[in-house]
Amino acid sequence: MTSSDADLYALSIITENRAGVLRDVATVMANYQANIQMIQQSIITTGSNVGRAYLYFEFEECGDHGELVADLARVPSVVDVTISPPFSRIFGTRVIIIGGGAQVAQVALGAVNEADRHNIRGERISVDTIPLVGEQNLTLAVDAVARLPRASILVLAGSLMGGEVSRAVDRVRQAGIPVIALKMAGSVPQHADLVVTDPIQAGVFAVMHVSGKGVFDINRVRGREF
């Protein structure tokens, strides 16, 4: 996103599940000069709105939010419109941890404890984990990190990673997301920005890097091993 968090607004919209709904909603937002920064849509699978569509928009200031909401509510297929805070104000930046279960758990231990320290002081840093095995599964997951909203750093936690996973690491770094790897067998550590032996410390480093108040900058120690 190009806008700062303070400039963003969000809408959660429940609609009928039919063709053309996204077009109709987006047309109304365009009429108000709402510059959309992020869209998510899905089909609701639980609760009273099962089978209906859920649309989530983050957009820049558009002037009269009340009139925008009123006009959206008049779209025939729209069931409900709610103004909500953008995800960046709730979950903030995201630390992504991928790899073997035991190593992922230890990295998460360090990351969650460090994030708690920063979030108490007003920051918003969240930690996402997925334990995976197999080169293909890991490659797909690493490549997907560059498509995740607000993903700010990736930690690869495992005993052996290389091959296609290493090439995926290169692609994630090219997308501007730094990568920390645990010290492990395989070629991934040679492709990461930083290699850390202690998984707990790797989690701490990751959070310190994305923190707006931390003093650790991975760019100043790139290529080193701790």
Side-chain angles (χ1 to χ4, degrees):
M1 291 185 294
T2 58
S3 301
S4 68
D5 172 65
D7 297 328
L8 290 178
Y9 298 83
L11 287 175
S12 297
I13 305 172
I14 297 174
T15 74
E16 298 300 333
N17 180 17
R18 63 178 66 168
V21 169
L22 181 59
R23 174 204 59 206
D24 296 340
V25 170
T27 298
V28 173
M29 297 188 72
N31 290 339
Y32 280 85
Q33 302 297 308
N35 185 21
I36 297 171
Q37 299 291 300
M38 187 177 82
I39 301 174
Q40 289 185 348
Q41 61 183 104
S42 59
I43 302 303
I44 299 171
T45 58
T46 59
S48 59
N49 289 303
V50 167
R52 287 174 169 159
Y54 173 77
L55 308 178
Y56 172 82
F57 294 86
E58 289 187 2
F59 58 97
E60 292 178 312
E61 172 65 65
C62 68
D64 196 331
H65 294 91
E67 285 299 318
L68 169 62
V69 170
D71 275 359
L72 285 171
R74 295 186 189 103
V75 175
S77 54
V78 169
V79 176
D80 183 68
V81 184
T82 304
I83 298 176
S84 57
F87 285 140
S88 55
R89 293 185 201 159
I90 302 171
F91 294 105
T93 57
R94 301 168 71 181
V95 175
I96 313 297
I97 307 169
I98 299 174
Q103 293 95 333
V104 163
Q106 290 300 298
V107 174
L109 177 63
V112 168
N113 277 285
E114 183 68 14
D116 181 64
R117 187 170 70 88
H118 290 275
N119 291 347
I120 284 174
R121 296 184 294 171
E123 294 195 76
R124 286 292 182 270
I125 301 170
S126 56
V127 180
D128 297 79
T129 66
I130 180 167
L132 287 173
V133 295
E135 183 177 351
Q136 182 179 9
N137 289 336
L138 287 167
T139 300
L140 291 172
V142 171
D143 271 326
V145 171
R147 304 193 299 273
L148 289 175
R150 307 181 325 282
S152 299
I153 194 166
L154 168 64
V155 184
L156 288 175
S159 301
L160 170 64
M161 294 185 193
E164 289 300 322
V165 181
S166 296
R167 286 180 274 279
V169 167
D170 291 338
R171 291 189 288 270
V172 168
R173 292 180 61 207
Q174 288 170 5
I177 299 174
V179 178
I180 295 175
L182 296 187
K183 189 172 183 180
M184 66 177 82
S187 60
V188 157
Q190 300 167 27
H191 292 253
D193 292 284
L194 187 67
V195 178
V196 183
T197 301
D198 179 11
I200 294 178
Q201 188 63 53
V204 171
F205 276 155
V207 171
M208 288 175 65
H209 175 74
V210 303
S211 167
K213 299 179 180 179
V215 296
F216 177 76
D217 184 355
I218 200 171
N219 297 307
R220 300 181 65 178
V221 293
R222 179 170 280 115
R224 295 184 60 183
E225 181 178 313
F226 292 92

